Amino acid sequence: AEARRRVDNDRRYLATLHAEVAAAVAADLTLIETVARCAAQPLPCPGNEGMHRLNVESAYAELGGPAEPSAVGWGKVWAEMQP
C-alpha cells in the first residue's frame, strides 16, 4: 500500500509539472518566469526544491521552450559531469 501511495504521488507531481510547464511554454513565458510559476507546486518529497527546479528547467526545454536542453536542468548537470 505504501509503495502504491508513493507511486501515485509521484505520478500526480509529474502530471502537474507537465501541465504547468506546457501552459507556461504556450504562454511564451521565459524559463525564469516558468520556474517562478512552478515554485509553489507541492513536491512529493518536501525539501527537494533544487531537484524540482531541475525538473522544471528540463521539462521547459523538452516541451519546446527556447532553451538548449544541455544548458538547463538535468541536461546541464549531466554535461557538467562529463570529463
Side-chain angles (χ1 to χ4, degrees):
E2 174 64 15
R4 179 60 175 191
R5 183 193 65 75
R6 293 173 94 182
V7 168
D8 289 345
N9 196 29
D10 287 347
R11 291 181 71 187
R12 276 191 300 277
Y13 165 75
L14 292 172
T16 301
L17 177 77
H18 184 276
E20 288 292 324
V21 174
V25 170
D28 293 324
L29 297 183
T30 67
L31 177 57
I32 293 170
E33 292 168 330
T34 302
V35 168
R37 176 180 180 156
C38 295
Q41 179 181 346
L43 305 179
C45 297
N48 281 344
E49 291 81 7
M51 287 188 226
H52 175 61
R53 181 185 177 104
L54 294 172
N55 290 341
V56 172
E57 291 177 358
S58 295
Y60 183 84
E62 291 173 14
L63 293 171
E68 174 58 42
S70 64
V72 298
W74 292 105
K76 180 178 179 183
V77 171
W78 177 255
E80 290 172 351
M81 291 173 42
Q82 301 310 302

